[in-house]
Amino acid sequence: MKKFLILLFILSVAFTRSHAQELVPDAQFSTLIGFLNEENWPEAAKLSEAILKKIPGNKQDDDAPAVIRYMHIISEAGLKYMGKLTKTEALKNVSGYIGHTIFSPSRYTSLKYGLNRIVSSDNKTDTLASSCTNRKGTDLYTSESIVPAHPVTIDEFKSYDGKLFRIGGVLKSISVTGNMMPHFNIVIDKAILEPGDKQ
């Protein structure tokens, strides 16, 4: 299993290469990455929310807010696990993102099920799946259903095995599911799989 720390580092590289720092200063983004790597959910939630509030309305679906939006979702999930928020409160804090773009960290595709990976279900590719956990893999923060914008054949998906992709798309829905491990269940529509090392 790839550690969340590694995933966030890869995401930070993609963020920098996308020139998204025009909307989010490098210092703020680096500080946010640090909070997430430390699993400092209170500070990560506070900073990610503050960054999003400063982004102009006509820029809300650019790469920068799409990345930060996903980070805020994970931060809220972390606060829920800490017992700082109820399921209802955590959901309320992120439900406004429905209909907006999000970008996940880069993850490895895999032909076998695993956490923090992009996988297919029963050799079908009309909907892919992924998840996000804490560094130790003990806390499940999201389970993600990914509906590709363009058809992906099973042979094409098999050719991706072991390669890095980040997922971008429209957040179609978000809910809280699970009793033993309550987590965000999100559906990403019109999704693209962008190579994680893309310049």
Side-chain angles (χ1 to χ4, degrees), residues 82-94:
M82 291 176 68
K84 299 287 186 181
L85 294 175
T86 66
K87 290 188 285 187
T88 301
E89 289 169 335
L91 185 59
K92 181 181 178 181
N93 290 342
V94 297

Side-chain angles (χ1 to χ4, degrees), residues 7-23:
L7 295 174
L8 286 174
F9 173 76
I10 293 167
L11 183 144
S12 71
V13 172
F15 182 91
T16 302
R17 290 176 176 173
S18 72
H19 306 293
Q21 63 269 34
E22 293 173 10
L23 289 174

